[in-house]
Amino acid sequence: MGGMEPVPEDWGRALAIAAHPDDLEYGGSTAVAKWTSQGKDVVEVLATRGEAGIDSMDPDDVAAIRTREQIEAAAHVGVDTVEFLDLPDGMLEYGLPLRRELARAIRRHRPEVVLSVNFRETFTGGEGFNMADHRVLGLAVADAVRDAANRWVFRDLEMEPWQGVRFALFGGSPQAAHYVDVTGHLEAGIASLRAHKIYFDNLGADFDPEGFLRGLAEPAGQEAGVPQAIPFELIEL
């Protein structure tokens, strides 16, 4: 992350798009907390309700629980509008149907900035192997921004094109070269991650939301020259 640059903040509307409830909360929602405190408008769109996320529970019950937890998580960072596309958790497929739904959301909400999840195979530091839903969704988001801007793509939507997206941000990327200074907003981000309590309680692991986010934000802040920062891959579109 050497030589990171600050994410521009001279804009007013953002659309945050993720595959599952909790995806945005591993750093992205902390940046959202800063932006909403500045008076920016942020809307969240979730491709799924995360119904396949708890092995020991019926998917219908899980969907209801994780929907509530996502709405609560969003409220902690100043987001009032959370929408769900109700696509199948664990089975997202890259292709025109997904790009179409994402282009529809972008044309409807008309954001200047789009925030999403890492679509690379690994995460920050080159660790782990990213799951299929994340890879599929993030890449489709990048492509859907262009789709939404082209009036001759997805004409059946009968919506005016939206060419106002300046850039897209992807959290957790091993190619992060930009950052958001979130000093003073980390507690809101921690609260948003903690909102997924039932989900974490059923994972069978002792997950520490505060430790995770501080472990991300403080080293990134040192790299960026601020107390706390969240790193992002920025793609100009």
Side-chain angles (χ1 to χ4, degrees):
M1 294 188 295
M4 287 197 301
E5 298 181 10
V7 170
E9 295 186 338
D10 56 337
W11 48 269
R13 291 192 312 279
L15 179 62
I17 307 174
H20 319 102
D22 88 314
D23 283 352
L24 293 170
E25 280 65 62
Y26 298 100
S29 67
T30 306
V32 169
K34 179 187 183 181
W35 297 332
T36 58
S37 76
Q38 297 171 332
K40 301 183 193 304
D41 180 53
V42 182
V43 170
E44 293 183 3
V45 170
L46 283 294
T48 81
R49 294 181 187 263
E51 67 274 8
I54 300 178
D55 181 71
S56 60
M57 297 178 64
D58 181 88
D60 289 341
D61 295 334
V62 175
I65 289 168
R66 301 197 71 192
T67 296
R68 291 194 300 269
E69 290 186 335
Q70 185 60 41
I71 292 170
E72 179 185 347
H76 281 296
V77 294
V79 175
D80 298 324
T81 302
V82 181
E83 299 177 353
F84 297 86
L85 301 181
D86 288 321
L87 300 174
D89 183 16
M91 295 183 286
L92 294 182
E93 293 183 288
Y94 180 87
L96 293 177
L98 178 58
R99 284 167 49 190
R100 182 179 184 275
E101 290 309 307
L102 297 178
R104 186 204 302 271
I106 293 166
R107 287 177 179 174
R108 185 171 70 253
H109 292 291
R110 303 168 72 84
E112 297 163 83
V113 172
V114 171
L115 170 68
S116 193
V117 296
N118 173 34
F119 60 85
R120 306 291 181 181
E121 288 190 349
T122 60
F123 294 96
T124 302
E127 299 177 354
F129 184 70
N130 198 4
M131 71 173 295
D133 275 2
H134 297 162
R135 303 196 315 270
V136 163
L137 190 281
L139 185 59
V141 166
D143 290 335
V145 171
R146 288 195 175 96
D147 296 334
N150 189 331
R151 72 172 59 253
W152 307 123
V153 174
F154 301 131
R155 284 176 282 172
D156 60 307
L157 292 177
E158 298 183 347
M159 302 173 72
E160 282 298 305
W162 175 244
Q163 301 171 352
V165 177
R166 291 171 51 187
F167 55 84
L169 298 170
F170 299 89
S173 170
Q175 298 189 27
H178 287 74
Y179 72 91
V180 174
D181 180 356
V182 295
T183 306
H185 302 281
L186 191 61
E187 291 302 324
I190 292 169
S192 73
L193 186 53
R194 281 182 172 150
H196 299 281
K197 183 179 186 306
I198 296 176
Y199 173 64
F200 292 139
D201 285 349
N202 281 274
L203 289 183
D206 186 17
F207 178 67
D208 177 12
E210 180 172 359
F212 175 86
L213 284 176
R214 289 193 183 280
L216 171 66
E218 291 174 358
Q222 282 189 328
E223 186 72 24
V226 299
Q228 297 165 337
I230 300 296
F232 292 98
E233 178 176 356
L234 184 152
I235 297 179
E236 294 184 359
L237 298 162

